[in-house]
Amino acid sequence: MIDNFAKPKTRRHSVAVKVGSVTVGGDAPIVVQSMTNTDTADADATVAQVAALARAGSELVRITVDRPEAAVQVPRIRERLDRIGINVPLVGDFHYIGHKLLSDYPDCAAALDKYRINPGNVGFKAKRDTQFSQIIEIAMKHDKAVRIGVNWGSLDQELLTKLMDENAVSAAPVSASAVMREAIIQSGLLSAQRAEDLGMGRDKIILSAKVSQVQDLIAVYADLAERCDYALHLGLTEAGMGTKGIVSSAASMGILLQQGIGDTIRVSLTPEPGGDRTREVQVAQELLQVMGFRAFVPVVAACPGCGRTTSTVFQELAQDIQDHIRVSMPAWREQYPGVEGLNVAVMGCIVNGPGESKYADIGISLPGTGETPSAPVFVDGEKVTTLRGEGIADEFKQMVLDYIEQRFGTPGKASQSSQS
Ligand code: SF4
């Protein structure tokens, strides 16, 4: 018998970092984060999108702070979010002039919970160290965390050139892509060391080293994880649109998470024009949930359907339940503690239907082609009833809601509602 089959490796040890009310690293659960795509100078749009991302389950939200008009809005955005009960920590994304914005707008510096610094564009030549130091000093003054976020698209060119030159005269030269990966890692580690030399604690530093190719990302993070104990932010940059972005992110981050690497994740999906930005949060949560690291929403298992399915009833039912769960989750989190661990099965025929349904907390096996038009329902592994007729879908939906109320509702509340 195979034991220990495909269990995730023990989480790599990392130093825990507090970002506002959220802990990243150490023993804390892997944190889901996201980023807005609104102009931060447009406070209305940014408040609305941060709120939507937070309600979808994003535990940290990053916003762009690229110019004075944006910096001036940051404390106002924070205040407005607090007023509507959205206390998600905000991360400021700075490039080129972060040092200036943070020193010119101290209220912005105070309102943010973490500053993202890109070592590749924090300043160039002689100015780089001064500007980097300025940001670190402001972060220390306000007791804020930083993420040193290297991105291969804006990699420190001086460092890359130096490593390329060294490689060219080396007795055992490696490939250009291996040099690039080393430059990405070194850029992060050298900057983190510089921050520590300036007096910043390791418990204030998170590192990321993002690339856009799956195999490169796995190689870079595996190496980075061996060479430091900073908390690591995982993310495939420019993952792309639609299924390509989802598959690339899940494949690369899934492998790293399985190796115990990663303390916070972001799925960088390109939304379709007018698309829903919260999709990236949903994908990140589903990745962590299907791998067994965290539970966010009840799981609806549905078979793929095949030639034995007579109609689209089971797909519609599975979709309907899934949609209802997702829309209801913000309220259910409060109302039904533990409901995120629920498993529902909606199966298309007798072949796997009863088996899968028994395994779920509540499941239904719909009739396939040529089967008696009846649908056995299983609750906690036992067949409790058989539904028949036109109303199968609605009756099963109601049974799921009753099950949730019974199992996760507070006893007091359940008896009150049954009396009313
Ligand atoms: S459970 Fe039945 S309908 Fe669903 S995929 Fe399997 S054989 Fe096909």
Side-chain angles (χ1 to χ4, degrees), residues 302-310 314 346-354 365-366 368 371:
C303 76
C306 67
R308 296 178 62 92
T309 41
T310 42
F314 90 98
V346 179
M347 301 295 290
C349 86
I350 201 167
V351 174
N352 293 321
S365 177
L366 291 160
E371 292 175 23

Side-chain angles (χ1 to χ4, degrees), residues 9 54 63 66 167 184 370 373 415:
K9 268 190 162 177
I63 59 177
D66 58 342
N167 186 55
I184 291 167
S415 64

Side-chain angles (χ1 to χ4, degrees), residues 8 19 59 136 184 202 271 405:
V19 181
E59 295 158 309
I136 296 297
I184 291 167
R202 297 171 89 72
E405 176 65 44

Side-chain angles (χ1 to χ4, degrees), residues 128-147:
R128 184 181 50 205
D129 286 355
T130 329
Q131 294 176 182
F132 179 82
S133 308
Q134 261 178 283
I135 300 182
I136 296 297
E137 274 153 18
I138 295 168
M140 288 194 295
K141 184 174 144 205
H142 289 279
D143 196 25
K144 306 292 182 182
V146 297
R147 168 161 67 100

Side-chain angles (χ1 to χ4, degrees), residues 129-414:
D129 286 355
T130 329
Q131 294 176 182
F132 179 82
S133 308
Q134 261 178 283
I135 300 182
I136 296 297
E137 274 153 18
I138 295 168
M140 288 194 295
K141 184 174 144 205
H142 289 279
D143 196 25
K144 306 292 182 182
V146 297
R147 168 161 67 100
I148 295 173
V150 183
N151 190 306
W152 82 291
S154 49
L155 183 57
D156 178 343
Q157 291 303 306
E158 278 175 59
L159 176 63
L160 179 61
T161 307
K162 177 178 158 279
L163 294 183
M164 286 286 185
D165 290 348
E166 285 172 9
N167 186 55
V169 296
S170 154
V174 294
S175 68
S177 57
V179 178
M180 159 87 82
R181 291 198 296 268
E182 178 61 20
I184 291 167
I185 294 166
Q186 282 199 22
S187 176
L189 291 177
L190 290 169
S191 299
Q193 186 56 55
R194 213 171 291 140
E196 283 200 61
D197 292 345
L198 290 162
M200 179 166 266
R202 297 171 89 72
D203 62 343
K204 293 287 178 202
I205 301 172
I206 296 173
L207 276 194
S208 67
K210 296 192 183 181
V211 294
S212 61
Q213 297 298 315
V214 168
Q215 296 294 352
D216 282 335
L217 192 87
I218 296 166
V220 163
Y221 272 91
D223 203 352
L224 188 59
E226 294 254 308
R227 288 163 67 172
C228 70
D229 65 357
Y230 297 114
L232 294 182
H233 163 131
L234 286 192
L236 185 76
T237 191
E238 289 106 38
M241 295 182 85
T243 50
K244 188 256 173 194
I246 294 172
V247 172
S248 309
S249 295
S252 53
M253 289 197 267
I255 287 170
L256 289 163
L257 292 167
Q258 183 74 5
Q259 292 173 3
I261 298 168
D263 301 295
T264 173
I265 65 169
R266 181 197 171 206
V267 175
S268 305
L269 293 183
T270 309
E272 278 143 26
D276 185 355
R277 189 69 172 177
T278 62
R279 189 89 201 279
E280 66 173 65
V281 177
Q282 187 186 337
V283 173
Q285 287 186 331
E286 283 178 4
L287 173 59
L288 293 178
Q289 182 148 352
V290 296
M291 293 196 70
F293 293 114
R294 293 186 67 181
F296 296 96
V297 288
V299 170
V300 179
C303 76
C306 67
R308 296 178 62 92
T309 41
T310 42
S311 69
T312 53
V313 171
F314 90 98
Q315 288 146 309
E316 283 157 14
L317 180 57
Q319 184 70 50
D320 209 4
I321 292 177
Q322 183 84 67
D323 291 348
H324 184 70
I325 285 171
R326 193 155 279 287
V327 170
S328 307
M329 254 332 263
W332 284 1
R333 253 180 229 118
E334 310 285 322
Q335 210 177 342
Y336 302 120
V339 70
E340 62 278 4
L342 178 78
N343 284 297
V344 182
V346 179
M347 301 295 290
C349 86
I350 201 167
V351 174
N352 293 321
E356 186 80 39
S357 301
K358 272 186 207 163
Y359 182 72
D361 294 311
I362 176 164
I364 187 166
S365 177
L366 291 160
T369 310
E371 292 175 23
T372 318
S374 61
V377 175
F378 297 81
V379 171
D380 296 330
E382 302 292 332
K383 183 175 156 190
V384 292
T385 187
T386 300
L387 301 177
R388 290 186 176 82
E390 294 298 300
I392 288 181
D394 286 339
E395 282 179 58
F396 180 66
K397 260 167 50 189
Q398 189 55 51
M399 286 184 75
V400 172
L401 298 180
D402 292 344
Y403 181 87
I404 290 172
E405 176 65 44
Q406 246 173 36
R407 180 163 159 200
F408 302 100
T410 55
K413 190 178 158 299

